[in-house]
Amino acid sequence: MKSIRAGKNVSLFAVLFASIAVPSMHAQDWFHLETSGGATRIRIAVANFKPQAGDPAAYKHTFDTTLFADLTAAGLFDIVSKDMIPQSTPGTQAEISLAQWSAAPASAAMVAFGNVGVANDRLVVNGFLDDAKNAQYPQVFAKQYNEAASDDSARQIAHRFADEIIARLGGGVSGIAETKIYYSKRTGTGKEIWEMDYDGANQHEITHLGAISISPRVSPDNSRVAFSSLGKDGFQIKMYSLLLGRLVNFTSAGGTNVSPAWAPSGQQLAFSSSRTGDPEIWISDPEGRVAHKITSFIGPDVSPTWNPKTGGQIAWISGRTHLPQLYIMDADGSGVQRLTDGGYATSPSWSPNGQFLTFAWDRKYGPGAPGGQDIYVMEIASKKWIQLTHDIGPCDFPSWSPDGRHIVFANGNGAHTRIMSMLADGTQKQALTGAGSDMPNWSWK
């Protein structure tokens, strides 16, 4: 079937919805979305770690740059510029002079510092976090890490140390430096499922099916990835075990089966299936053996996403009023509510705290309308929204980070689509991949 939108990023919805007149819509009030719980940002200085035993130079550079980047990306801190910190390189608690770090120009409230060395082919890192304003009891915590020496180990240790700092200073919410993003990437004439670190590093292929595989969704325990793949029987749900490194069984059914979504319990999978005719939302066990339908309206229903806080609600896109709109319902199909009041909505993702939905929306979609597909966030209780992307081309497939402070999304058209991330208020946008990557999904932890 032909896409109903010329130039629109290829999606599941383009082949399921037919375009007709655009309903009128009223303006929405804006609301302020906090990324740090309303708290004042903590000013933190990140010292370059001091080299210790062995020859850790290469690993130290990787560690230093990764730690600084992780804390900068967190969206919680006022990071002291490297050219404003003291020239000293403290490696231990006894070596740091906090008065130097708390004084101008650094004016740091917190200081992260430590040492890195190599011994017996092991990378040993000692990390410290100090309260620069507390001369009597400055140490917030200290941690030692010991891993086989490699550049990847240096990155992973920096990620863990950054997440420790974020958890201590960010209200107990774990950081995302150790999380993964799964996505679909063009490989030759097909698409495979890929994985990368949250910051775009360590990109590598997961599946090797030689087919068109789309819409990856990782399970809450990070053990499996559900996705949809095109074969001789059309698009069907597939299941890949990250522990076994291979496909595992998921029962095939008739019709088109797309857009899988895990319940927070990991015991149920929602997806769109046309096995009985019209595409509807179905729920099954993780093996696809026992499935039941929860929607039954004329018009396609696709792209379910569970409320990760309660597991009791599902948001999805429905074409029952012709153009696709955003809805929520109870997990048994009752309590249906429409959230958008016009335009062309796609690809919802539910925030970890259960209060917000992010989705792609062309609010002025229709013949002659100067619209554009952008990423929005809606507060579910009030139905108020904010627009997060502007004038960067078509944006689709947003996905929340597990800390609720970041969103990853696809940007661009067709083969030129790339994956980007941003804070959940729309700031700090950055590209994570080159062209040919889309449909990202952030891991649950």
Side-chain angles (χ1 to χ4, degrees):
M1 292 177 77
K2 220 178 201 180
S3 170
I4 66 174
R5 293 186 61 185
K8 182 182 182 292
N9 187 25
V10 176
S11 73
L12 305 176
F13 320 101
V15 298
L16 296 176
F17 292 104
S19 170
I20 61 170
V22 181
S24 62
M25 63 180 298
H26 60 80
Q28 299 287 324
D29 293 328
W30 290 63
F31 68 95
H32 184 60
L33 180 66
E34 296 286 355
T35 60
S36 58
T40 301
R41 291 195 176 198
I42 298 170
R43 188 164 173 82
I44 185 170
V46 186
N48 290 328
F49 273 44
K50 186 174 183 177
Q52 295 288 88
D55 184 16
Y59 306 136
K60 192 185 95 67
H61 175 75
T62 296
F63 177 88
D64 286 340
T65 55
T66 301
L67 178 62
F68 189 84
D70 287 347
L71 294 177
T72 300
L76 293 173
F77 306 116
D78 175 15
I79 305 290
V80 180
S81 172
K82 288 286 189 179
D83 59 13
M84 297 176 66
I85 64 175
Q87 295 300 305
S88 60
T89 307
T92 65
Q93 193 68 61
E95 294 175 354
I96 189 167
S97 172
L98 290 174
Q100 286 185 315
W101 296 81
S102 62
S107 303
M110 295 284 170
V111 184
F113 65 101
N115 60 75
V116 54
V118 177
N120 300 319
D121 294 323
R122 304 287 293 181
L123 183 63
V124 181
V125 177
N126 293 286
F128 303 89
L129 179 68
D130 272 16
D131 181 345
K133 306 293 186 180
N134 188 340
Q136 188 173 8
Y137 302 107
Q139 190 175 101
V140 178
F141 77 92
K143 196 74 177 280
Q144 184 179 86
Y145 306 88
N146 188 318
E147 301 283 346
S150 71
D151 197 63
D152 184 63
S153 291
R155 279 183 49 81
Q156 297 309 318
I157 291 172
H159 286 331
R160 288 198 287 275
F161 186 48
D163 279 347
E164 291 266 11
I165 293 171
I166 291 164
R168 296 297 181 100
L169 303 182
V173 178
S174 297
I176 59 168
E178 296 180 85
T179 61
K180 307 294 183 182
I181 295 171
Y182 296 85
Y183 58 105
S184 178
K185 181 176 179 178
R186 291 176 181 266
T187 52
T189 59
K191 285 188 169 185
E192 300 289 352
I193 305 304
W194 283 56
E195 177 192 81
M196 63 180 165
D197 293 351
Y198 91 102
D199 56 2
N202 195 26
Q203 298 179 18
H204 59 280
E205 192 172 343
I206 296 295
T207 64
H208 305 274
L209 302 180
I212 296 176
S213 298
I214 59 174
S215 303
R217 294 295 182 269
V218 64
S219 62
D221 64 358
N222 291 339
S223 68
R224 289 166 290 177
V225 177
F227 59 99
S228 187
S229 192
L230 179 61
K232 61 182 180 181
D233 52 352
F235 273 106
Q236 297 295 329
I237 304 297
K238 303 289 184 180
M239 191 70 68
Y240 185 90
S241 170
L242 295 170
L243 302 178
L244 301 175
R246 60 174 174 82
L247 290 176
V248 293
N249 184 62
F250 189 90
T251 302
S252 297
T256 297
N257 295 271
V258 293
S259 56
W262 290 93
S265 66
Q267 300 304 307
Q268 293 177 298
L269 199 73
F271 53 93
S272 174
S273 176
S274 64
R275 65 186 65 184
T276 57
D278 207 30
E280 304 285 359
I281 304 301
W282 289 66
I283 294 177
S284 77
D285 63 283
E287 289 75 38
R289 293 172 300 189
V290 180
H292 63 282
K293 183 173 64 172
I294 61 170
T295 62
S296 55
F297 292 89
I298 296 175
D301 295 293
V302 297
S303 300
T305 178
W306 296 77
N307 183 334
K309 184 74 172 179
T310 67
Q313 290 177 299
I314 291 174
W316 85 107
I317 299 295
S318 179
R320 63 194 61 191
T321 58
H322 304 297
L323 283 181
Q325 300 298 314
L326 176 63
Y327 291 79
I328 59 172
M329 61 181 164
D330 294 336
D332 61 2
S334 64
V336 173
Q337 300 178 55
R338 177 172 163 174
L339 298 185
T340 54
D341 54 3
Y344 189 112
T346 62
S347 312
S349 175
W350 211 310
S351 69
N353 65 8
Q355 297 177 11
F356 303 99
L357 285 164
T358 183
F359 58 103
W361 197 15
D362 186 340
R363 293 193 297 111
K364 299 179 181 179
Y365 177 74
Q373 187 180 35
D374 284 292
I375 304 301
Y376 289 75
V377 169
M378 178 179 286
E379 184 184 47
I380 298 169
S382 66
K383 298 184 182 179
K384 295 178 180 178
W385 48 258
I386 58 173
Q387 182 178 343
L388 301 186
T389 61
H390 303 264
D391 304 318
I392 61 172
C395 298
D396 206 350
F397 307 111
S399 176
W400 287 94
S401 63
D403 67 353
R405 297 177 181 131
H406 304 75
I407 292 171
V408 67
F409 62 100
N411 168 239
N413 275 312
H416 301 290
T417 303
R418 60 181 178 169
I419 293 174
M420 300 186 67
S421 69
M422 60 184 168
L423 290 180
D425 61 1
T427 61
Q428 291 188 205
K429 294 181 180 68
Q430 61 174 328
L432 300 182
T433 71
S437 302
D438 64 6
M439 299 187 179
N441 174 238
W442 216 311
S443 65
W444 294 65
K445 58 184 178 180

